[in-house]
Amino acid sequence: MNSTQAVAHILQKLGDKPAVIATGFICRQAQAAAARPENFYMIGSMGMASSIGLGAALARPKRPVVVVDGDGAVLMNLGHLPMAGSFKPKNFYHIVVDNGRYESTGGQATISKDVKIEAIAKASGYRTAVGVATEAALKSALAKLFKSPGPAMLVVRVKPEKGEAPPRVTDSPEEITRKFSAALQKGK
Amino acid sequence: MKWTSAHQDNARRFAAALKSHGFDFYTGVPCSLLGALLEHIASDRTMPYYPAVREDAAFGLAAGAYMAGRKPAVLIQNSGLGYSLNVLTSLNLIYRIPVLAVVTWRGHGPDAPEHIVMGASCLKLMEDIGVPSAAPDTLPDLESALRQGVHVTNVQKKPFALFIKRGIFGQ
C-alpha cells in the first residue's frame, strides 16, 4: 500500500469530520482524494498539524477533530503527543501516514523506521495507539477508530510513492482558514 | 516566588480586561514576569489555560482554537519568539489567523546573559515580520495597548505582540 492509497482510504472514512492535514504530499493527496471544505491544508509550519488539531479539539469538545500527519512532521514535534495525552480530549484522533520519507523535498529518508511512534503515543497518555501496515488492516482500524473516545493514534506504514505528485493545494491560505473555520463551527 | 500586591492587583485588572474583550482560551509557557497573571488565570475557571510544551505549540493550539470559534491569548517569554517564528510567518500571517501574544520583555535593561540578544532584538523582529506590537509602561498604558491589540486581531486578523515589562505582573 502506498501513501496515495492510504490517504484515499482515510479521507473516504472521514465523512465530514474536520481534519488538519500535514504539509507535503499528504495535503496534495488528500485534496486529490476528497477536496472537502473540512480539510485544513498545511502549506507551511511543518510539524504544527498536531497542535492545531489539538487546539481545535479542545475548543470544540463535542465534535471529532482529526489530524492526518506525516512521519517527518510528527517527529518534528513529538512534544505535542504528551500534550494530547495530558489534556486527554476524547474527540481527538491522530493518524500518521508513515512513508519514511520527506517526499516533497526529494524523497530523503526520515528516521521513522527506527522509532515506534505508536509506542511514544501510548507512553504519552493516548487512550489507544495502534500501527497498521496493510490495506486490510487499515480498513479494519478505520472502521473502529472513531467509535471509541480519543485521544487515539493510528500509524499507517506505507511504501514510498513512485510517479508524479498530484497538483499543489489550490485554495489560498486565507480561503483554507475561512472554509475550515466554517466547518469547525457548523451547528454551533 | 511571591508576587507583590501591586503585581496581583495589576493581574486582576488585566485579567478582567482580557475577559471583557472576549478572550476565552489561554495557553503558553511561563515567565516570572507574568507570575501574578499566570497565578490569577490558574485560579479562574472562566480562563481555561493549557500549558504548552513549547511556545510554537502554544501558537498551534491557539490557531486551532481560533478556527473553532474561540478567542485565544498566548502568554510567553520573549525567548520563545525564536521558536515561534515559523508559526507566525507561515501560519498566522499567511492564513490570517489572529492571536494575542502577551510576551514578556526579558533583556530590556540589565538582565542575565541569555536574554541580552533577544531583549535587544524582539521589537525589531516583530516589526521585520509584520506583526504589530506595543510595549506599554504602566497598567493604564497596558489596557490601552490591549484595546489596540484587540483591534488588530479583530479587524486585521493579524497576530499582535503585547510586550510586558518587568514589574507589572512580576519581577
Side-chain angles (χ1 to χ4, degrees):
Chain A
M1 173 174 54
N2 63 25
S3 134
T4 299
Q5 293 164 316
V7 170
H9 283 306
I10 293 165
L11 268 286
Q12 200 243 332
K13 256 329 208 195
L14 287 183
D16 66 351
K17 294 180 189 59
V20 183
I21 307 177
T23 43
F25 284 8
I26 294 179
C27 262
R28 303 196 198 183
Q29 288 158 358
Q31 179 182 250
R36 317 174 307 146
E38 295 90 358
N39 291 347
F40 186 80
Y41 302 108
M42 310 269 311
I43 61 171
S45 59
M46 181 175 174
M48 298 306 299
S50 42
S51 59
I52 295 168
L54 182 56
L58 293 168
R60 285 279 292 163
K62 292 200 169 67
R63 274 196 82 182
V65 176
V66 183
V67 173
V68 183
D69 220 339
D71 49 302
V74 77
L75 283 169
M76 201 177 258
N77 274 320
L78 279 181
H80 296 178
L81 301 188
M83 286 201 304
S86 171
F87 306 150
K88 281 201 156 33
K90 294 195 163 97
N91 59 328
F92 181 69
Y93 298 91
H94 194 170
I95 303 174
V96 181
V97 180
D98 179 359
N99 67 350
R101 295 278 183 276
Y102 295 105
E103 207 65 72
S104 65
T105 53
Q108 298 88 357
T110 69
I111 59 169
S112 70
K113 69 178 185 343
D114 300 315
V115 183
K116 286 204 165 51
I117 295 169
E118 61 270 40
I120 299 174
K122 202 71 181 57
S124 299
Y126 277 56
R127 207 175 303 260
T128 58
V130 299
V132 297
T134 67
E135 205 160 349
L138 173 59
K139 284 176 170 173
S140 165
L142 283 172
K144 295 195 201 90
L145 181 64
F146 304 112
K147 294 194 169 128
S148 300
M153 157 83 59
L154 172 61
V155 180
V156 185
R157 293 189 167 87
V158 298
K159 293 189 177 19
E161 208 69 27
K162 295 190 202 307
E164 282 298 302
R168 284 185 174 276
V169 169
T170 49
D171 280 345
S172 71
E174 286 183 45
E175 263 292 284
I176 295 169
T177 298
R178 201 186 55 75
K179 288 180 180 174
F180 188 68
S181 301
L184 272 178
Q185 296 182 46
K186 201 161 55 176
K188 213 173 129 185
Chain B
M1 294 184 196
K2 264 193 83 86
W3 317 113
T4 66
S5 55
H7 298 151
Q8 289 169 334
D9 200 55
N10 286 344
R12 230 180 335 262
R13 287 179 53 182
F14 188 66
L18 284 169
K19 287 198 278 186
S20 77
H21 285 296
F23 291 97
D24 61 1
F25 185 98
Y26 301 86
T27 178
V29 181
C31 174
S32 56
L33 268 55
L34 288 172
L37 181 60
L38 289 173
E39 189 175 76
H40 182 99
I41 288 171
S43 72
D44 185 337
R45 280 150 132 259
T46 68
M47 301 181 86
Y49 179 85
Y50 297 93
V53 291
R54 198 172 56 204
E55 291 85 349
D56 56 346
F59 283 101
L61 292 178
Y66 169 77
M67 291 191 284
R70 303 286 281 274
K71 205 172 165 76
V74 165
L75 293 91
I76 60 171
Q77 185 180 84
N78 58 347
S79 54
L81 285 175
Y83 290 125
S84 310
L85 271 183
N86 193 30
V87 188
L88 291 169
T89 58
S90 68
L91 181 71
N92 296 90
L93 286 166
I94 62 165
Y95 282 82
R96 291 196 88 201
I97 294 174
V99 62
L100 175 72
V102 180
V103 185
T104 64
W105 195 352
R106 292 299 301 263
H108 176 60
D111 205 335
E114 65 269 26
H115 296 296
I116 300 306
V117 176
M118 183 51 95
S121 314
C122 55
L123 258 55
K124 183 92 190 352
L125 200 54
M126 292 299 97
E127 194 188 317
D128 281 347
I129 64 171
V131 170
S133 70
D137 287 308
T138 64
L139 186 72
D141 293 339
L142 182 56
E143 286 167 337
S144 152
L146 176 59
R147 284 192 291 278
Q148 182 194 348
V150 168
H151 176 83
V152 166
T153 52
N154 283 354
V155 175
Q156 296 177 38
K157 306 248 188 288
K158 281 182 175 175
F160 184 86
L162 183 43
F163 285 99
I164 303 296
K165 292 177 181 171
R166 189 185 290 281
I168 299 180
F169 303 125
Q171 281 302 117

